[in-house]
Amino acid sequence: MTGVQTCALPISLWTSPEAVRPVDAPALGSRTDIESWISGMTPDERVGHCVLSQLLLGERVLVEEVRPDGWARLVAVEQPAAKLDPRGYPGWLPVDQLTLPLEPATGEAMGTGGATVADEAALVVDAVVTRLHEFPAGPVALPGVILGTRLRPAGPARDGWRPVRVPGWDAPLWAPEGHLVPVPTRPPSAAEVLAVASRLLDVTYVWGGVSPYGIDCSGLVHLAWRRFGVRLPRDADDQAAATTSLPLGTERPGDLYFFARPGKAIHHVGMVTARPGPGDDRRMLHACYTKRRVLEERLPAERTATLVGAHRVAV
């Protein structure tokens, strides 16, 4: 069985149904309210490890089990997670957050370095957040559709509005034409990806987050590349394994820094924002667990002490 989620906002992928907390209620309905969910949590609740990742509108999943209580165990096939499942990221979510896909999905082309590039004709949301309307300038049908969401065109633009097909909706919905661009047919430059990630400065840190409402370190990297149709793995250690290692000192803006404590797995990733200066003078953009937001900064001493490499995405 396959399903495609149709929530207005990203839906969360949970470690188990038993992991959810009372504070998570806004994230559990068929129409989630992720903005209210995040704003209603304390900083400590935002870094609880009950959320694994988040899925975008229209994202494909493979459903493996549906429990009598309405929870589904599934694999998010558009979020590579080699160490967990070769098919994608496994987890749980309420089954009423899913619907059938519009049509069988087309294939994907595999890029070098483990990144996959979508090859289906589609539009992608370029605004940080947009809304889909029932008709041009009409009532809002789906608020909070986020950067990187792919939408199927449903005809030519009209008066600054573009019709799109959305799973779960029989009639096309309408988006501001300026908020959509074609999925690129060429690989992006690292500088282009960095420019997209930079638009998420000051977004709140949320463990497992992949949205402009809340995001974590690997989610920021995953989402920025996904905007261009490139699907990097979801977690930082898998991202390191899927990218090309560089000699420190040769990195350039848009490359990735990875961090690990001695004898431990990689736990953090950031995007290089400047060529390295003398000594340990390095800068990066990252979703920072300790400062609880996305920021651009010079690597402090404690980060430099755990820097284990610079990598480049090759597609």
Side-chain angles (χ1 to χ4, degrees):
M1 173 184 177
T2 58
V4 177
Q5 66 96 348
T6 61
C7 290
L9 299 173
I11 60 174
S12 296
L13 193 64
W14 305 87
T15 56
S16 72
E18 293 72 31
V20 299
R21 308 156 297 182
V23 73
D24 299 322
L28 299 176
S30 59
R31 294 289 176 86
T32 60
D33 187 348
I34 299 300
E35 185 174 17
S36 294
W37 173 57
I38 291 172
S39 64
M41 288 190 287
T42 66
D44 286 344
E45 288 171 333
R46 292 176 188 143
V47 297
H49 293 187
C50 52
V51 174
L52 295 168
S53 188
Q54 291 180 312
L55 285 69
L56 280 60
L57 172 68
E59 186 164 339
R60 292 178 293 120
V61 301
L62 174 64
V63 178
E64 298 192 306
E65 173 191 354
V66 178
R67 297 196 330 187
D69 61 2
W71 280 84
R73 180 171 58 87
L74 53 81
V75 176
V77 300
E78 299 182 41
Q79 298 192 22
K83 70 179 183 298
L84 300 175
D85 191 311
R87 299 169 299 173
Y89 216 110
W92 293 81
L93 53 73
V95 73
D96 62 2
Q97 294 180 342
L98 301 173
T99 190
L100 293 176
L102 289 170
E103 58 189 52
T106 62
E108 294 173 350
M110 178 66 73
T112 59
T116 62
V117 184
D119 69 355
E120 58 188 293
L123 300 169
V124 63
V125 174
D126 188 48
V128 172
V129 179
T130 192
R131 300 184 293 181
L132 301 184
H133 298 248
E134 294 180 15
F135 50 84
V140 174
L142 291 177
V145 178
I146 70 165
L147 178 76
T149 300
R150 291 194 310 280
L151 298 168
R152 304 282 183 86
R158 189 174 81 196
D159 299 325
W161 294 83
R162 186 72 187 264
V164 294
R165 298 181 65 203
V166 178
W169 293 80
D170 293 331
L173 299 180
W174 294 77
E177 184 181 14
H179 290 185
L180 305 176
V181 296
V183 172
T185 57
R186 62 166 180 81
S189 69
E192 289 174 314
V193 179
L194 177 60
V196 166
S198 297
R199 293 160 60 189
L200 300 177
L201 275 168
D202 292 323
V203 167
T204 298
Y205 184 98
V206 173
W207 183 276
V210 189
S211 89
Y213 297 105
I215 203 161
D216 66 16
C217 65
S218 55
L220 176 65
V221 172
H222 175 84
L223 185 62
W225 279 94
R226 189 166 176 165
R227 151 64 183 84
F228 295 93
V230 178
R231 293 179 190 143
L232 283 183
R234 173 59 181 87
D235 289 343
D237 53 350
D238 286 331
Q239 289 173 353
T243 51
T244 302
S245 180
L246 305 169
L248 279 174
T250 66
E251 63 269 24
R252 60 184 185 229
D255 290 333
L256 304 176
Y257 284 136
F258 289 98
F259 302 84
R261 298 179 182 89
K264 302 292 184 180
I266 286 171
H267 67 272
H268 190 63
V269 59
M271 301 184 74
V272 179
T273 57
R275 292 183 181 274
D280 291 328
D281 185 9
R282 293 182 168 89
R283 302 192 66 87
M284 73 174 177
L285 173 76
H286 64 134
C288 181
Y289 180 97
T290 56
K291 297 179 181 177
R292 306 294 170 86
R293 63 186 177 91
V294 177
L295 71 157
E296 193 278 338
E297 65 176 351
R298 183 181 185 274
L299 267 63
E302 60 270 23
R303 285 287 185 202
T304 298
T306 58
L307 177 63
V308 293
H311 288 225
R312 182 163 298 158
V313 179
V315 294

